[in-house]
Amino acid sequence: MTTYLKKTLWAAALLTGTFGKLSAQSVKGLLADKSLVKHANNIFKSAGQQYRYLAGRLPANRFPKTFYAKADSLETSGSGWWCSGFYPGTLLYLYKQTHDAATLTEAQRMLKLLEVEQHNKTTHDLGFMMYCSFGNALQIAPKPGYKQILLNSAKSLSSRFDAKVGAIKSWDSKKQEYLVIIDNMMNLELLFWATRATGDSSYYKIAVTHANTTMKNHFRPDFSSYHVINYNPATGAVQQKRTAQGYADESAWARGQAWGLYGYTVMYRETKNKKYLNQANRIAQFILNHPNLPKDKIPYWDFNAPNIPNALRDASAGAVMASALLELCRYADPSQAKIYFNAAQTMLKTLSAPPYLAAAKTNGGFILQHSVGHIPQGTEVDVPLTYADYYYIEGLERYKNFSR
Ligand code: GLY
């Protein structure tokens, strides 16, 4: 490892306290509202009970995916679905807050089922799947073996990197296509962890190269992002910029903006390179200054959805944005920091009440209602989603860390 890299890693570790996951620290001028913190503490308890109800409905060896209320139907997946890490990850966050032993037992049961994915080289989602689960477990309730599982996962993820394109391949496709989606920024955290854990800088370099390529090609002049970039695998040239889950190729799909915001905030945390902080700030400004962002700050599923103000909202995008802003405000200058903190607070307040926060034993046992998975495909439309729950609980914990 170079001296520069060592210094950067050390600075990042000091800043984040616990290598990657944010620890409690007071930030001058930003103070959590006592009543929202009290509410958050109650939500941690009720969410734990809600997830116990969900666990009771879960078939053996299956992961929760979503719930269709009209049919009272819980949809589940195997461990290979990109969202399999969120349920154990949320359980671990809840265990950290409540110390409820049954919550930990359920998390550990799911981790066992998830282990096999460490060798999966067919997906770019290993960061979501393995770092949100085993990464949390390593910090909250460590066991021998977790570190090796994470390292194998980082190796599997790295196998999808191509130096000519300068990016990790997101979706396997036709031979003449190399598809990279903005969501992939979320998988880089696992690679930074792997360099810290081993001293092998190759993971770090892959993450930085991927982030630079994405910064160059995914963003428009207003700092909104495309969803999918199709590269020529032989030359690395951009062949097409388009959407898959958004309203249109030129629209700003809300969750894509959220993944970019979170991703570049992590890039700054891990590298301390100001260009990533600038990028995160500009993405935040696109989101927060957008005329179509509602007053309650939970975005429509696409900033350019055709039927605004009657378009569906996406609680998952709001949850990811809130959590990201609560990290970004620690790095931003004081005037911006206050804006980010206040916006995140509004998002969390909105999500912490109906119609978003589900009543006990409704919503199939999920915590939040009203997320949007894939409207163009007509799947997971206005439903609960595991990642909405995960980033919401993470956001509440981050918010709580601003109390004294
Ligand atoms: N493709 C991951 C997502 O739906 O955000």
Side-chain angles (χ1 to χ4, degrees), residues 39 118 123 159 186 218:
H39 190 38
Q118 65 190 291
T123 177
S159 74
M186 298 295 286
H218 259 85

Side-chain angles (χ1 to χ4, degrees), residues 20-235:
K21 299 283 172 186
L22 295 174
S23 64
Q25 50 182 286
S26 66
V27 176
K28 223 175 160 190
L30 303 176
L31 200 54
D33 171 348
K34 279 202 175 92
S35 66
L36 185 53
V37 172
K38 194 169 163 209
H39 190 38
N41 283 327
N42 288 331
I43 288 169
F44 294 136
K45 282 187 214 133
S46 60
Q49 284 156 10
Q50 182 77 339
Y51 263 27
R52 213 161 305 138
Y53 173 72
L54 172 57
R57 298 191 63 168
L58 210 51
N61 303 344
R62 300 291 292 174
F63 290 74
K65 199 172 169 190
T66 189
F67 176 71
Y68 293 101
K70 275 190 193 143
D72 190 31
S73 165
L74 178 69
E75 196 169 295
T76 63
S77 76
S79 60
W81 176 240
W82 75 276
C83 300
S84 53
F86 295 123
Y87 175 58
T90 305
L91 287 164
L92 285 156
Y93 276 146
L94 292 174
Y95 168 70
K96 187 175 166 192
Q97 295 295 328
T98 63
H99 309 293
D100 172 58
T103 302
L104 180 59
T105 304
E106 175 65 355
Q108 288 170 338
R109 181 181 77 83
M110 298 312 289
L111 290 178
K112 200 80 210 135
L113 296 173
L114 189 55
E115 255 181 48
V116 61
E117 299 303 329
Q118 65 190 291
H119 302 297
N120 185 347
K121 296 191 171 87
T122 68
T123 177
H124 74 134
D125 285 317
L126 285 171
F128 280 128
M129 293 157 72
M130 308 306 272
Y131 199 68
C132 295
S133 53
F134 287 96
N136 280 4
L138 196 60
Q139 289 192 31
I140 296 166
K143 273 193 179 189
Y146 289 169
K147 193 173 159 187
Q148 194 55 49
I149 289 168
L150 283 164
L151 285 175
N152 291 340
S153 306
K155 271 188 204 136
S156 300
L157 177 59
S158 301
S159 74
R160 295 181 66 81
F161 178 76
D162 180 83
K164 188 163 283 146
V165 176
I168 296 164
K169 187 193 271 184
S170 296
W171 293 335
D172 293 338
S173 174
K174 296 175 199 146
K175 219 175 151 204
Q176 61 274 26
E177 293 186 339
Y178 192 103
L179 304 181
V180 181
I181 63 174
I182 187 68
D183 324 28
N184 207 342
M185 286 302 301
M186 298 295 286
N187 293 309
L188 306 182
E189 205 174 354
L190 169 66
L191 300 180
F192 285 112
W193 172 86
T195 286
R196 273 199 302 277
T198 61
D200 175 354
S201 61
S202 63
Y203 303 105
Y204 184 103
K205 285 178 187 153
I206 288 174
V208 164
T209 306
H210 181 97
N212 291 344
T213 303
T214 300
M215 217 160 105
K216 186 165 155 230
N217 297 322
H218 259 85
F219 288 87
R220 306 184 182 101
D222 65 0
F223 291 90
S224 67
S225 61
Y226 288 92
H227 186 198
V228 187
I229 303 294
N230 175 1
Y231 293 95
N232 180 327
T235 64

